[in-house]
Amino acid sequence: QVQLVESGGGLVQAGGPLRPSCVASGRTLTNNAMAWFRQAPGKEREFVAAISWNGGSTVYSDSVKGRFTISRGYAATTVSLQMNSLEPEDTAVYYCAGGRRAYPTKSSNEYTSWGQGTQVTVSS
């Protein structure tokens, strides 16, 4: 079983950066894709970004492409999301997810491990 713990959320002004991270423990995810999803109040959870098992392939939603960068850290047990040029519309709870396959996908059905989420609030 995999445990995912997010950190690094917070309150930031529009235009500023933030870098939430996620650490995986328990069963290794070194051979699995990892991703970030988010859920704003009153909205469904949506895909943000995903990265392959080796960090060589990434996928982004159109709404964050060019502003956010996903990366994997030491021993592929961590995943971070560098968020730049933040907008109030980026306000949401951000969730880290571990995939069932090696390569990234936008479908939440392909992710079987989920963290508890970290709140990101962007003020205008």
Side-chain angles (χ1 to χ4, degrees):
Q1 189 151 355
V2 177
Q3 292 80 43
L4 300 175
V5 178
E6 302 96 335
S7 63
L11 173 64
V12 64
Q13 287 191 331
L18 209 55
R19 186 183 172 89
S21 294
C22 170
V23 178
S25 61
R27 182 179 67 82
T28 181
L29 283 176
T30 55
N31 296 321
N32 301 80
M34 295 186 74
W36 287 93
F37 288 76
R38 67 185 181 187
Q39 187 167 18
K43 294 188 177 181
E44 293 187 354
R45 188 174 299 187
E46 65 172 357
F47 171 79
V48 176
I51 190 167
S52 62
W53 69 280
N54 62 353
S57 177
T58 57
V59 178
Y60 296 92
S61 70
D62 289 343
S63 62
V64 308
K65 196 175 297 182
R67 299 188 298 123
F68 291 10
T69 302
I70 189 171
S71 60
R72 296 189 77 140
Y74 174 75
T77 58
T78 64
V79 62
S80 298
L81 186 67
Q82 178 66 47
M83 306 190 296
N84 296 328
S85 303
L86 282 162
E87 304 167 353
E89 294 73 25
D90 295 316
T91 295
V93 177
Y94 282 70
Y95 297 91
C96 174
R100 65 173 82 238
R101 306 184 193 278
Y103 288 94
T105 175
K106 295 183 178 182
S107 172
S108 62
N109 293 331
E110 293 297 324
Y111 296 89
T112 56
S113 304
W114 294 86
Q116 293 300 307
T118 184
Q119 177 69 48
V120 171
T121 303
V122 184
S123 63
S124 58

